[in-house]
Amino acid sequence: MDDRPIGVFDSGIGGLTVLKEIMEQLPGEDIVYFGDTARIPYGTRSKETVIKYFFQSVRFLLTKEIKAIVVACNTASALAMEEAQKVFDIPILGVIEPGAKAAVSATKNSVIGVIGTEGTINSQSYQRKIRKMSPSAEIIGIPCPLFVPIVEEGWENTDVAFITAKKYLLELKEHNIDSLVLGCTHYPALRYTINKVLGDKVTMVNPAYETAKAGKIMLKEKKLLSNRLDGGKCDYYVSDDPEKFKRIGGNILRREIASVQKVNIENL
Amino acid sequence: MDDRPIGVFDSGIGGLTVLKEIMEQLPGEDIVYFGDTARIPYGTRSKETVIKYFFQSVRFLLTKEIKAIVVACNTASALAMEEAQKVFDIPILGVIEPGAKAAVSATKNSVIGVIGTEGTINSQSYQRKIRKMSPSAEIIGIPCPLFVPIVEEGWENTDVAFITAKKYLLELKEHNIDSLVLGCTHYPALRYTINKVLGDKVTMVNPAYETAKAGKIMLKEKKLLSNRLDGGKCDYYVSDDPEKFKRIGGNILRREIASVQKVNIENL
């Protein structure tokens, strides 16, 4: 039994969808959340830069005496996980493996779609993980760079979202996928629009949910679970304006974020 | 006469539209360009963070023995110009004042629209400058956060761009504006789509063009013009992957970018 907090980090605010799932599935755990809001988004950055930002985030969380790290950002998980696991001793869980596993379980015709940022899709991380678990699967990855700004604009159920989704998802429809990984923390907000485009036969996989589930299993196996059953608290840190994070983040979490501290992440 | 280079910086790649205008209007000048591609976009960041990034960019350019600085980024000009002019001795020109001036010249009915990032519009920088020159003008500022990703996706002349523009620009149309500041370096790429929405009676102002013109006047007044009439060269620096910058930047400039160096901007 271990009452130290879990560290969770993301390129910004989207990772709160993962945090929310962790809070629901592990209500007794304390958490330290870091959102790199001064350098969001990671999705279009080079691997080298994402590795640097990932390592800085880990180094910050390590100052908070955490017992494990959950990487809530798909791009960071896709581009920097292997390097980080070589360098840091602490258990680190990303969203890719749990998301890939759920897609393989969900598919019946072995035709799986993956959508995410440019960085996530081009890294082939989801594709490689899925292929490892299901070598004969046909996997179609499509980067959807407009989805994040559409969600951030609050336009997820508008005609702009629908036409954009039709453009991006056409190829997935033509390939007759039956399961789809929503490989970016913002995308579950678009699930109704995506469903309108792809129809009810496509099962959508939300890696946020799967990652919280996998996190619980990992902590249990490593005997790192807290012995508290609820009452866990969360401390929030960001690299840009705390006020904006409080406002938007509170909406995502559906609970008030009382206090957020700013971190100078660049010097870590 | 002064043959030292002009420093130009931007949050990334959009500032190349300003650079292109400077190269055309001042073909004899050497230029050092810095694009902060590791931290793009500035448009949603806090004032404090943009000031920090602005100062780091200036400090980098100062290591290159420049004679003046042109800030090609609207958000940086809007949020950090006043602070920078207090701190640094070198002449610094932003895009806001030249853009505002051109809008005031262009309008006949004194109803002026300004579009830009959240940071630019909420800072009220264009609005204040315009009001100073034309106190009775009615000014309507609208942030258009989806325009940058639409242009970066190459979708500027699609139905997605058109419907998005209709949503954003409706209020400008209702107010019967007759001139519009395209207050973000990416927006001139959308001019045909914007024209389809607003019609031919609205004159669009491109601050990139106006800034190059103002830069020429400033250098002349301060006796800082080079005595060369052409053959100026440009050195490129970025904070993320040089290859991506070369590829996309070459398209914007319509000339090959032979060499780009990476800078560790965070430590400056």
Side-chain angles (χ1 to χ4, degrees):
Chain A
M1 294 301 166
D2 190 327
D3 281 346
R4 288 175 300 164
I6 304 167
V8 178
F9 79 87
D10 179 56
S11 58
I13 210 148
L16 292 176
T17 60
V18 178
L19 178 67
K20 191 162 174 268
E21 294 292 344
I22 296 175
M23 285 171 161
E24 278 169 23
Q25 297 186 39
L26 291 162
E29 297 290 336
D30 284 345
I31 300 169
V32 179
Y33 182 91
F34 170 65
D36 194 4
T37 50
R39 303 187 296 194
I40 195 178
Y42 287 3
T44 52
R45 310 216 186 284
S46 70
K47 182 171 174 147
E48 196 186 338
T49 293
V50 172
I51 290 174
K52 178 169 145 187
Y53 293 175
F54 188 120
F55 280 27
Q56 287 173 329
S57 300
V58 171
R59 284 196 287 266
F60 166 69
L61 289 173
L62 288 175
T63 67
K64 302 293 169 193
E65 300 194 37
I66 48 165
K67 59 186 172 191
I69 289 178
V70 175
V71 186
C73 174
N74 282 267
T75 308
S77 299
L79 270 66
M81 189 59 126
E82 282 173 28
E83 284 72 11
Q85 283 173 330
K86 277 182 221 155
V87 170
F88 298 102
D89 260 345
I90 192 160
I92 307 180
L93 179 71
V95 292
I96 305 289
E97 184 150 349
K101 214 165 158 180
V104 170
S105 297
T107 189
K108 285 177 187 120
N109 69 358
S110 282
V111 190
I112 299 171
V114 183
I115 55 176
T117 65
E118 250 185 279
T120 299
I121 300 304
N122 295 344
S123 75
Q124 298 280 327
S125 299
Y126 272 115
Q127 294 94 315
R128 267 202 307 269
K129 281 274 182 231
I130 293 171
R131 200 161 288 123
K132 222 172 172 179
M133 299 175 199
S134 174
S136 66
E138 185 187 352
I139 311 157
I140 302 108
I142 308 275
C144 305
L146 273 175
F147 277 176
V148 168
I150 283 174
V151 171
E152 294 194 337
E153 191 69 328
W155 285 10
E156 53 268 27
N157 297 313
T158 63
D159 49 351
V160 170
F162 182 67
I163 298 172
T164 301
K166 274 215 304 200
K167 268 192 207 295
Y168 281 140
L169 307 179
L170 179 67
E171 198 183 330
L172 299 179
K173 209 169 170 166
E174 284 172 355
H175 277 77
N176 202 25
I177 61 158
D178 77 345
S179 76
L180 175 65
V181 179
L182 306 178
C184 173
T185 50
H186 284 64
Y187 292 5
L190 284 156
R191 62 192 175 280
Y192 298 112
T193 297
I194 293 171
N195 174 265
K196 265 207 274 180
V197 174
L198 293 180
D200 288 335
K201 281 184 204 150
V202 176
T203 305
M204 283 182 257
V205 170
N206 178 0
Y209 173 79
E210 305 299 334
T211 301
K213 225 167 63 176
K216 191 172 176 177
I217 294 170
M218 179 184 86
L219 292 180
K220 205 171 171 182
E221 281 174 0
K222 293 188 186 291
K223 304 195 191 311
L224 290 172
L225 277 174
S226 161
N227 56 6
R228 288 182 312 245
L229 290 178
D230 55 30
K233 60 180 182 42
C234 184
D235 292 332
Y236 299 91
Y237 298 86
V238 292
S239 50
D240 201 350
D241 183 23
E243 292 311 313
K244 192 175 173 186
F245 179 87
K246 259 190 221 176
R247 206 174 56 243
I248 306 177
N251 285 340
I252 296 177
L253 284 183
R254 284 168 208 207
R255 62 165 81 186
E256 201 203 348
I257 297 180
S259 132
V260 182
Q261 280 172 270
K262 192 171 161 181
V263 178
N264 198 345
I265 194 73
E266 298 186 351
N267 300 331
L268 286 168
Chain B
M1 295 304 165
D2 189 326
D3 281 344
R4 289 175 300 163
I6 304 167
V8 178
F9 79 86
D10 179 56
S11 57
I13 211 148
L16 292 175
T17 60
V18 178
L19 179 68
K20 190 162 176 264
E21 294 292 344
I22 297 175
M23 286 171 160
E24 277 169 23
Q25 297 187 39
L26 291 162
E29 297 291 339
D30 286 345
I31 300 169
V32 178
Y33 182 91
F34 170 65
D36 194 3
T37 49
R39 303 187 297 193
I40 196 177
Y42 285 5
T44 52
R45 310 217 187 283
S46 69
K47 182 171 174 148
E48 196 186 338
T49 292
V50 172
I51 289 174
K52 178 169 146 187
Y53 293 175
F54 188 120
F55 280 27
Q56 287 173 328
S57 299
V58 170
R59 284 195 286 267
F60 166 70
L61 289 172
L62 288 175
T63 66
K64 302 292 168 193
E65 299 195 36
I66 49 165
K67 60 187 172 189
I69 289 178
V70 175
V71 186
C73 175
N74 281 267
T75 308
S77 300
L79 269 67
M81 188 59 127
E82 282 174 29
E83 284 71 13
Q85 282 173 330
K86 278 181 220 155
V87 170
F88 299 102
D89 260 345
I90 193 159
I92 307 180
L93 180 71
V95 293
I96 306 288
E97 186 149 349
K101 216 166 157 178
V104 170
S105 296
T107 187
K108 285 178 187 118
N109 69 357
S110 281
V111 191
I112 299 170
V114 183
I115 56 176
T117 64
E118 250 186 280
T120 299
I121 299 304
N122 295 344
S123 75
Q124 297 279 328
S125 300
Y126 271 116
Q127 294 95 315
R128 268 203 306 270
K129 280 277 182 229
I130 293 171
R131 200 161 287 122
K132 220 172 174 179
M133 298 173 197
S134 174
S136 66
E138 185 187 349
I139 311 157
I140 303 107
I142 308 275
C144 305
L146 273 175
F147 278 176
V148 167
I150 283 173
V151 171
E152 294 194 336
E153 191 69 329
W155 284 10
E156 53 267 29
N157 296 314
T158 62
D159 48 353
V160 171
F162 182 66
I163 299 174
T164 302
K166 275 217 303 200
K167 267 192 210 290
Y168 282 140
L169 307 178
L170 177 68
E171 198 184 331
L172 300 178
K173 209 168 172 171
E174 285 173 353
H175 278 78
N176 202 24
I177 61 157
D178 78 343
S179 77
L180 176 65
V181 179
L182 306 178
C184 173
T185 51
H186 283 65
Y187 292 6
L190 284 156
R191 61 193 177 282
Y192 299 113
T193 297
I194 294 171
N195 173 266
K196 265 207 273 178
V197 174
L198 294 180
D200 288 334
K201 281 183 203 151
V202 175
T203 306
M204 281 182 258
V205 170
N206 178 359
Y209 173 79
E210 306 299 335
T211 301
K213 225 167 64 174
K216 191 171 178 177
I217 294 169
M218 178 185 87
L219 292 180
K220 204 171 173 183
E221 281 175 0
K222 295 189 184 290
K223 304 196 192 310
L224 290 172
L225 278 173
S226 160
N227 56 6
R228 289 182 310 244
L229 291 177
D230 55 30
K233 59 178 182 46
C234 184
D235 292 331
Y236 299 90
Y237 298 86
V238 292
S239 50
D240 201 350
D241 182 24
E243 291 311 313
K244 192 173 173 186
F245 180 86
K246 259 191 219 173
R247 205 174 57 242
I248 306 177
N251 285 341
I252 296 177
L253 284 181
R254 285 168 208 208
R255 63 164 81 187
E256 202 204 346
I257 297 180
S259 132
V260 183
Q261 280 173 270
K262 191 170 163 184
V263 179
N264 198 345
I265 194 72
E266 298 185 350
N267 300 332
L268 286 168

